[in-house]
Amino acid sequence: MTDPASSTPGPQPLIGVVMGSRSDFETMSGALEVLSQLGVAHEVRVLSAHRTPHLLASYAARAERLNLRCLIAGAGGAAHLPGMLAAFTRVPVLGVPVHSRSLGGQDSLLSMVQMPAGVPVATFAIGVAGAKNAALFAAALLASTDEAACARLNAYRAAQTQAVLDDPYFDGHPQALAE
Ligand code: RP5
């Protein structure tokens, strides 16, 4: 069988973004947008700890083979994907708890954050905020050894600050003070 991973076009990925189901895509697109904005080469896979456990194990091996700097893994409910990836690879895993219909993502969060000592998963906030922050965290890891990545991350943060300063209702803005 052809490995779809081996035919991925574009630059060598530095980050792997994985999710437990296509239904997680809306949440995880927060991470994909940030990585694209910051020009971080990445690849995306749908893998399930429960439905495709063998595929998950082989992807963990691929992550090491490609020397990916980290994996961003999103899942919901009994969210074992990040923990199982972390068990199979030394590549750092950033976990994104996806909002679940029945328990609002609390189940996802606790499944990830309560890992046993020895197999860490760096766990972020539930939902899109967590997905974006996981991508920013991954970019910050790259920035420590890559000047161009560092400059792009600094520019992103400066633009974010400027957007607040440009808001006419910003506290320090002359227009807001005059009202
Ligand atoms: C988890 O189960 C996935 O990460 C997803 O958040 C949740 C529901 O999956 P679907 O039933 O929508 O495929 O494995």
Side-chain angles (χ1 to χ4, degrees):
M1 192 175 76
T2 312
D3 176 6
S6 65
S7 58
T8 304
Q12 175 79 14
L14 297 171
I15 310 286
V17 179
V18 298
M19 59 198 86
S21 167
R22 270 303 288 234
S23 67
D24 299 328
F25 190 81
E26 196 179 330
T27 300
M28 296 309 290
S29 62
L32 301 175
E33 280 163 22
V34 169
L35 292 174
S36 297
Q37 266 178 284
L38 293 173
V40 176
H42 58 279
E43 62 179 19
V44 188
R45 297 287 184 278
V46 175
L47 300 169
S48 168
H50 307 117
R51 294 168 177 155
T52 63
H54 302 295
L55 201 54
L56 180 150
S58 59
Y59 187 75
R62 170 183 167 80
E64 289 201 2
R65 204 165 57 245
L66 293 188
N67 197 23
L68 296 182
R69 308 304 165 77
C70 66
L71 295 170
I72 299 175
H80 296 135
L81 174 66
M84 287 306 294
L85 280 171
F88 275 117
T89 176
R90 55 156 177 79
V91 175
V93 178
L94 315 184
V96 179
V98 172
H99 189 277
S100 58
R101 277 184 296 276
S102 31
L103 295 171
Q106 302 276 343
D107 43 356
S108 327
L109 172 66
L110 294 175
S111 300
M112 290 180 198
V113 82
Q114 291 290 57
M115 286 295 289
V119 189
V121 169
T123 304
F124 289 80
I126 297 168
V128 175
K132 289 186 172 180
N133 278 345
L136 288 166
F137 193 91
L141 292 176
L142 297 176
S144 64
T145 54
D146 178 337
E147 272 182 37
C150 183
R152 289 194 297 269
L153 183 57
N154 286 341
Y156 179 98
R157 296 187 72 144
Q160 178 170 257
T161 301
Q162 196 58 47
V164 176
L165 300 179
D166 288 345
D167 187 325
Y169 289 98
F170 169 60
D171 259 357
H173 195 284
Q175 187 182 323
L177 294 173
E179 284 168 359

